[in-house]
Structure formats: C-alpha cells, structure tokens
Amino acid sequence: MTVPQRIAAQVDSGPSAWSAQPIRSDIPAERVVGAEFSAQRIEPDLVWIDVRGEIDIRNAHALHAFTHRQLGESIRMVVDLGAVEFFGAAGLSVFDDLDERARALNVRWALLSGRPVERLLRVADAAIAAKACRTRKAALAAVAPVK
C-alpha cells in the first residue's frame, strides 16, 4: 500500500495504528542518535515527513537540516511527530526556523503533534502551537491547496 493510500485509509485512526507501520520513501531516510526521519512525496507538491524516536539536543540540528532540505522540494509539507516519544526544548528552535523559512518560500506547512510535543508547545511556543494538528485529516486540511 502506498503512503497516499495509507493516509486515505487510516486518516481517522489512532496514532499507533498508522505510525507503527514503516513508511516507504522516495527521499532517503536519515538515522541519527535517538531518532529517524523519512519523507514521502504524497502529491506532486506535498511532502509528508515522518519523525520517530526522541528529539533532543543530540539530534535537533539533524531534524532542522532534514526539514529544511524538504522545503526546497515542495510548496506544502506536514511534519508528523506522532511517533515521537520525547520532545525536548531543543526541538522548538527547529520549528521556529522552519516557520520563518517556510514563510519566506511561501510553503504551507503543518505539524502533526503527539503528546510529548503538545505538552511542550502548550507552555513554550504559541505561534508554533497554532500550526499543530491533532489528526492526519486536520494536518492535510491545514496544508490543502488554496483555491
């Protein structure tokens, strides 16, 4: 099953049912200390980034670099943190920079957050918290093409 089919079939399912499945990627995955990032172009102008593991000071810079590389490839992007088990404060700067660069490039992006991410965003960063979606359906709607 392709990623677009998987998203369509499981758009309302719980995070464990979908994020536990491996993602097939046309963009090379990146493994770093404590985390793994992969990306899939699910539409010609939409990239879905899957983040797994823990985001902290050891690997936030790698997540920053990975997400920024995808910005140049698409005009819409979803960063899926549903399988992230721990999200440290170092990760916040990734999304502040991503938001700034996305605005400069006119890229629409959304964050699909998991529980560890939601907790930190609630207390630390209202602007990025506004980009956070709780469901895949909401994330896709947030980056839907403007007609």
Side-chain angles (χ1 to χ4, degrees):
M1 179 180 288
T2 67
V3 171
Q5 291 167 333
R6 200 167 76 207
I7 289 172
Q10 299 181 0
V11 76
D12 292 323
S13 66
S16 62
W18 191 67
S19 61
Q21 299 174 14
I23 189 168
R24 289 188 344 170
S25 179
D26 57 351
I27 300 165
E30 187 171 316
R31 288 182 178 86
V32 296
V33 175
E36 180 179 350
F37 320 128
S38 58
Q40 176 71 39
R41 184 168 309 285
I42 60 174
E43 291 179 13
D45 65 342
L46 174 60
V47 171
W48 190 279
I49 297 176
D50 188 45
V51 181
R52 298 167 187 252
E54 300 178 346
I55 302 301
D56 56 27
I57 196 148
R58 300 172 303 157
N59 55 27
H61 65 285
L63 177 59
H64 180 277
F66 189 83
T67 57
H68 282 258
R69 280 194 303 275
Q70 308 319 312
L71 279 176
E73 302 297 321
S74 184
I75 59 170
R76 299 184 299 136
M77 182 168 72
V78 174
V79 181
D80 183 349
L81 302 174
V84 170
E85 299 157 5
F86 173 82
F87 190 82
L92 290 176
S93 65
V94 171
F95 300 120
D96 285 333
D97 290 348
L98 181 63
D99 191 47
E100 184 177 317
R101 179 126 189 262
R103 274 188 270 124
L105 295 171
N106 202 26
V107 173
R108 298 183 63 173
W109 76 283
L111 188 62
L112 179 57
S113 62
R115 190 174 178 100
V117 179
E118 285 177 9
R119 259 189 256 138
L120 187 58
L121 288 177
R122 235 184 333 225
V123 297
D125 197 328
I128 300 303
K131 295 254 181 223
C133 301
R134 299 189 90 184
T135 66
R136 287 162 191 82
K137 187 176 183 176
L140 290 171
V143 298
V146 178
K147 295 183 183 192

